[in-house]
Amino acid sequence: MRPPSKLRRFYESADQVVVTDKDSPPRLMFFGEDFLVEDLPIGTKVIFPNPPVAGLPNVKAAIRWAINHPEGCDPLHAQLRPGMKVTVAIDDISLPLPPMRTPDVRQLVLEVVLELLADAGVDDVHLVIAIALHRRMTGPEVRRMVGDRIFEAWWPDRLYHHDAEDPDGLISLGATEHGEKVILNRRAAESDLVIYVNLNLVPMDGGHKSMSTGLTNYEGVKAHHGPHTIRQSWSYMDPPQSALHHSVDRIGRLIDQNLNVFHIETTINNRMFDGPLAFLMKREEEFTEMDRLKLEGLRATLHALPKGARRKLLQSVPAPYEVIAVHAGRTEPTHQKILEASYGQYMVDVDFQADVLVYGMPYISPYNVNSVLNPLLVQVMACGYFFNFYRGKPLVKKGGTLIIAHPCSDEFDPVQHPSYIEFFHRLLPETRDAVALEQKYEREFAENPTYVHMYRTGNAYHGAHPFFMWYWGENGRQHIGRIIVVGADNEHVPSLMGWETASTLSEAIDMARLAHGRGAEIAMLHFPPIVMTQNPG
Amino acid sequence: MADNRKAAFFDVDGTLVRTNIVHAFGFYAMNQGTLFGTAWRTAKTVASLPFLWAADQANRKVFNEVFYRFYEGQSEDRLLTLADELFEKVLRPAIFPGTEKLLAQARRFGCRVVFCTGALDFTVRRLADHLGADDLIANRMHFIDGFATGRVVPPIVEGAHKAVAIRDFCGREGLALGESFAYSDSFSDYPMLSVVGHPAAVNPDIRLRSVARAYEWPVISTQEA
């Protein structure tokens, strides 16, 4: 028979919010390309992810059903006619994270759609990877995403990247009632039908954001990614409360008035790891001896490897995500259904706001697949994405303390992030003020011919991208009073970002308690995998 | 359109085209008008290659001075006439696939496009016109009575003098050095790259690649479209 204390823990384990007590095990935290195992103070509320929602048993059947039973429009086959011009836009490598095990859901959708187009006699078809200002993918990355058969047949003549700097490849559709410029990929705009093949990793993705962001240029992105818009977005994961999404929706509606867009939206569960790394999906209470051994083995291996090899090792593990929903049709009703599925996977109800919020920073973000999570991207994850993993009230109180764990090495990838280097080392020492940076330097970077060349012919993010990364953390920076980074291997990177440092988590918590008192409420978002909170207040 | 505030300075050989000044001279050597003349010039050039290579390794300035001696005695008319053919047969096919895109970007964002090369002006003039350069900073051959003396009109455009030439050009034209760009493939152009606000290494040699990494200069390629 279980002793009473175990019984209590058993009861709590059914809840996603676990209150730390004296018997609680230390918690596993991401620490860049490493992991930390840390004890948390008694009373800390640890918010665990929901278990993975069951995947669809037959994804291709679900795709066929969705395009035959679309939301708010005729089925796809009924919209096709021989000789028409069709553009299929596809989300890029920025999601899911880590990249999913093959076949990627985009490959599955494309296989169904391209067969349907061929059967309908539609020959003028281009596949455009909707990268916006993201980097171009490498050939092997594209091959992995769409599969060998499609890659061999379509790349690079009819399967290619959107080019946000091709003056002849863009067209203006005018402006919204709020003055937002609507600029779109010309091929898509001049098509009889655009089919957008999307993957929602989190509720921020998809909907109008797909077309209005993925297929536009710098001016188009600038319309909704500026610091003022970001400061009014509470949160990105809650579109009705996000000024960013309001703007994107206005642009998207104008696009829908001008173009026939058929969305095929998909979303996945949170099964980020399995096999030898399946223990990363468990609560520490459920760890077996073998799981502890695996964890120690993984940490010992990572410690023994040089940084590059460590990165390669971690990034080479694909995620066993499963597709949990596929819907198709007009933008808004389709996206609404996908949002419901996504919320069902990620949202954990909470009824409190913490004084101190703790989370570990992973090795990957949407912008460093097969690359380094540089300091600017650490900031994006800390103040942008993870802070915004909520609906209703933020998990941390206004003016609260955020504690993150990451080495914050001063390391950048000159191939993927050349403009980040200049942004970080030349601009941040001058100011961290997002508005000042926007007004003084953003256009200079956007119109730097070297960065534009690297974006267009190499695998570099656009020159203006680091600005949008900095703005992306703006709502987090406005809300959070103080950020303490645990385990930084230098002082200047945290200092440039306005962060304090602590060598251990307990030291960071002591620092936070000095401000918030001994009774400070502490919460931890337990990654991996993804977890979000909802607190309607 | 250029806004008279910034310029983009491009080295030519190895940066925009895959040829170098030896290719140009080789073309002239092999087109001497007479069989004997061609054979003599070609043999002389080939025989000198090890020496030229050594000179280039030691000092680009010495290399240029030695190399341009080979032009001694050539008629100006012939050099100018053959320049068109040199462009069509040698330079034009050697333009890198990404060159025009890089130049177009510089123009689109308001840069004066200036070629800054150690080559002789008559050998790259047609290329500069073809690629739409606004200005050309290049070496000029000294002629007496219509024949080349083998000496270049000083100051010779190479290495540190490229930086001086660029600085003078900006001063003269009212351009901001700090807002200007420079592109080169060679470590010998380190001064030219250092003098502007936005340097970039293009298809760099090992030494320049190393410097670019150290100074966090972007490294780009024109070898792909």
Side-chain angles (χ1 to χ4, degrees):
Chain A
M1 187 171 162
R2 286 170 184 272
S5 64
K6 288 274 178 4
L7 273 177
R8 183 163 54 84
R9 293 227 298 275
F10 177 74
Y11 164 75
E12 282 177 348
S13 72
D15 194 347
Q16 301 313 117
V17 182
V18 172
V19 181
T20 306
D21 63 24
K22 64 182 172 56
D23 292 329
S24 297
R27 300 297 174 190
L28 180 72
M29 296 169 72
F30 271 130
F31 181 59
E33 288 146 3
D34 196 357
F35 295 89
L36 293 181
V37 180
E38 293 282 342
D39 279 310
L40 295 172
I42 290 172
T44 301
K45 292 177 176 169
V46 183
I47 296 142
F48 284 97
N50 292 319
V53 172
L56 297 172
N58 186 334
V59 178
K60 277 204 169 176
I63 295 165
R64 289 196 181 92
W65 194 92
I67 61 179
N68 288 333
H69 301 82
E71 310 292 330
C73 64
D74 291 334
L76 184 56
H77 64 82
Q79 297 193 37
L80 303 178
R81 60 178 189 279
M84 74 190 298
K85 185 174 181 177
V86 173
T87 298
V88 182
I90 322 160
D91 275 346
D92 73 352
I93 199 170
S94 60
L95 43 77
L97 298 167
M100 69 191 294
R101 194 170 287 166
T102 56
D104 190 288
V105 64
R106 285 159 287 208
Q107 175 187 336
L108 299 178
V109 174
L110 287 175
E111 284 172 356
V112 172
V113 168
L114 295 180
E115 194 179 308
L116 192 64
L117 292 171
D119 289 347
V122 181
D123 300 323
D124 186 0
V125 180
H126 282 204
L127 312 182
V128 180
I129 305 170
I131 60 170
L133 308 184
H134 293 177
R135 71 171 174 93
R136 299 188 326 148
M137 296 163 66
T138 62
E141 287 170 342
V142 176
R143 179 189 287 274
R144 189 181 184 285
M145 184 173 81
V146 301
D148 290 337
R149 199 161 58 85
I150 293 173
F151 185 82
E152 296 293 346
W154 295 74
W155 176 266
D157 301 328
R158 292 184 299 154
L159 164 61
Y160 51 85
H161 297 96
H162 165 69
D163 184 350
E165 288 293 344
D166 177 7
D168 300 326
L170 298 157
I171 193 166
S172 171
L173 299 182
T176 67
E177 65 273 21
H178 283 65
E180 294 127 330
K181 291 179 185 169
V182 184
I183 298 158
L184 209 63
N185 179 288
R186 180 182 289 276
R187 162 77 202 191
E190 293 177 349
S191 292
D192 300 307
L193 173 67
V194 178
I195 302 170
Y196 199 104
V197 178
N198 140 289
L199 168 55
N200 277 256
L201 175 63
V202 291
M204 182 195 79
D205 308 321
H208 285 301
K209 190 166 174 287
S210 296
M211 288 288 290
S212 60
T213 304
L215 293 177
T216 190
N217 67 352
Y218 162 66
E219 296 294 345
V221 173
K222 190 172 167 51
H224 42 74
H225 272 55
H228 296 295
T229 311
I230 297 298
R231 283 176 183 174
Q232 294 162 34
S233 299
W234 305 101
S235 76
Y236 306 141
M237 304 301 152
D238 193 3
Q241 306 304 320
S242 162
L244 170 99
H245 285 84
H246 298 163
S247 173
V248 156
D249 289 351
R250 286 189 292 270
I251 294 169
R253 285 185 196 117
L254 199 145
I255 291 172
D256 282 355
Q257 285 167 18
N258 287 274
L259 274 68
N260 181 19
V261 186
F262 187 90
H263 285 265
I264 304 173
E265 293 214 5
T266 64
T267 191
I268 53 180
N269 63 13
N270 66 354
R271 197 181 298 282
M272 198 177 268
F273 297 102
D274 69 352
L277 297 180
F279 68 91
L280 293 172
M281 298 286 292
K282 290 184 179 178
R283 295 178 184 199
E284 291 78 1
E285 285 86 344
E286 296 165 3
F287 273 23
T288 62
E289 289 307 315
M290 183 54 78
D291 290 331
R292 290 193 185 87
L293 197 64
K294 284 179 185 168
L295 173 60
E296 287 312 310
L298 176 63
R299 294 184 71 198
T301 306
L302 292 173
H303 291 168
L305 291 173
K307 269 186 182 177
R310 207 184 301 171
R311 186 171 308 134
K312 191 96 179 160
L313 174 75
L314 288 169
Q315 298 231 3
S316 65
V317 182
Y321 291 125
E322 297 159 299
V323 178
I324 58 170
V326 182
H327 294 282
R330 300 293 292 171
T331 313
E332 291 179 16
T334 303
H335 188 54
Q336 193 53 43
K337 291 211 160 183
I338 287 291
L339 272 182
E340 286 162 17
S342 190
Y343 284 142
Q345 173 61 86
Y346 295 125
M347 289 298 167
V348 170
D349 287 315
V350 296
D351 58 0
F352 66 93
Q353 284 186 291
D355 299 295
V356 182
L357 176 60
V358 180
Y359 38 72
M361 306 303 301
Y363 56 91
I364 199 163
S365 78
Y367 317 109
N368 76 305
V369 177
N370 299 322
S371 182
V372 188
L373 189 84
N374 63 51
L376 207 49
L377 294 177
V378 173
Q379 174 271 153
V380 166
M381 294 302 283
C383 305
Y385 285 101
F386 288 179
F387 168 76
N388 279 276
F389 276 179
Y390 71 89
R391 290 177 84 189
K393 288 183 176 174
L395 184 55
V396 63
K397 287 176 187 165
K398 172 88 175 161
T401 297
L402 173 64
I403 298 175
I404 61 169
H406 195 274
C408 288
S409 306
D410 188 352
E411 193 182 3
F412 291 82
D413 180 345
V415 174
Q416 289 198 16
H417 305 115
S419 59
Y420 281 54
I421 302 173
E422 188 180 356
F423 179 94
F424 195 79
H425 288 139
R426 183 183 144 216
L427 305 192
L428 278 193
E430 183 183 316
T431 181
R432 288 193 291 271
D433 183 328
V435 176
L437 287 165
E438 180 195 33
Q439 290 173 352
K440 199 169 173 188
Y441 294 114
E442 186 189 287
R443 192 162 291 277
E444 176 197 321
F445 275 57
E447 298 185 350
N448 179 316
T450 308
Y451 294 145
V452 170
H453 188 78
M454 295 176 88
Y455 161 81
R456 296 188 73 189
T457 62
N459 300 102
Y461 283 84
H462 192 273
H465 201 257
F467 289 82
F468 299 127
M469 294 297 92
W470 187 253
Y471 309 155
W472 202 245
E474 192 64 9
N475 57 7
R477 276 191 298 275
Q478 299 286 305
H479 183 84
I480 298 162
R482 182 185 191 195
I483 298 175
I484 304 171
V485 58
V486 174
D489 63 15
N490 66 85
E491 284 294 327
H492 70 275
V493 165
S495 164
L496 277 175
M497 292 198 278
W499 299 350
E500 295 169 61
T501 57
S503 51
T504 62
L505 181 60
S506 57
E507 183 189 338
I509 288 172
D510 284 345
M511 288 164 68
R513 279 174 163 164
L514 280 177
H516 301 289
R518 297 298 302 170
E521 184 150 25
I522 304 171
M524 176 196 187
L525 273 175
H526 193 286
F527 305 120
I530 296 172
V531 55
M532 301 179 195
T533 57
Q534 58 184 6
N535 178 3
Chain B
M1 283 294 288
D3 65 356
N4 291 328
R5 282 292 300 153
K6 58 187 176 182
F9 296 94
F10 294 89
D11 170 52
V12 175
D13 295 330
T15 304
L16 303 179
V17 295
R18 67 172 62 85
T19 55
N20 57 44
I21 58 174
V22 179
H23 286 92
F25 182 75
F27 178 81
Y28 282 116
M30 293 175 71
N31 290 276
Q32 283 298 303
T34 66
L35 201 58
F36 178 74
T38 297
W40 169 241
R41 284 275 173 191
T42 305
K44 197 173 154 188
T45 308
V46 170
S48 306
L49 285 177
F51 174 65
L52 289 170
W53 180 83
D56 187 37
Q57 295 303 304
N59 186 318
R60 178 57 65 92
K61 185 170 185 288
V62 171
F63 168 81
N64 282 352
E65 285 177 355
V66 170
F67 182 74
Y68 289 136
R69 290 278 175 198
F70 282 70
Y71 280 93
E72 189 176 351
Q74 303 259 359
S75 88
E76 186 173 9
D77 286 351
R78 180 153 199 84
L79 291 174
L80 294 178
T81 305
L82 282 174
D84 285 348
E85 213 175 320
L86 168 72
F87 168 70
E88 293 295 343
K89 289 189 173 168
V90 179
L91 297 180
R92 188 174 191 158
I95 296 171
F96 285 126
T99 290
E100 296 200 23
K101 214 178 229 181
L102 178 60
L103 295 171
Q105 266 126 219
R107 262 191 298 274
R108 182 153 72 96
F109 297 121
C111 295
R112 282 268 288 275
V113 172
V114 184
F115 286 4
C116 185
T117 174
L120 293 168
D121 54 358
F122 57 84
T123 64
V124 287
R125 177 75 62 194
R126 278 290 313 275
L127 180 73
D129 292 343
H130 172 74
L131 292 174
D134 297 305
D135 296 280
L136 173 65
I137 300 171
N139 280 311
R140 286 180 295 134
M141 178 58 72
H142 185 245
F143 292 96
I144 294 180
D145 295 335
F147 288 92
T149 62
R151 281 179 288 117
V152 170
V153 177
I156 192 163
V157 179
E158 56 70 46
H161 285 102
K162 274 194 180 179
V164 174
I166 286 173
R167 204 165 51 216
D168 289 349
F169 183 88
C170 285
R172 204 166 54 240
E173 300 290 327
L175 300 165
L177 261 181
E179 291 177 27
S180 293
F181 297 79
Y183 300 89
S184 178
D185 69 311
S186 170
F187 178 73
S188 63
D189 283 333
Y190 172 72
M192 159 185 171
L193 295 170
S194 303
V195 80
V196 297
H198 302 285
V202 186
N203 321 318
D205 58 27
I206 290 173
R207 283 190 295 176
L208 181 59
R209 184 177 292 275
S210 162
V211 166
R213 287 284 178 261
Y215 287 101
E216 299 181 332
W217 293 346
V219 176
I220 66 176
S221 168
T222 49
Q223 293 171 346
E224 288 167 27

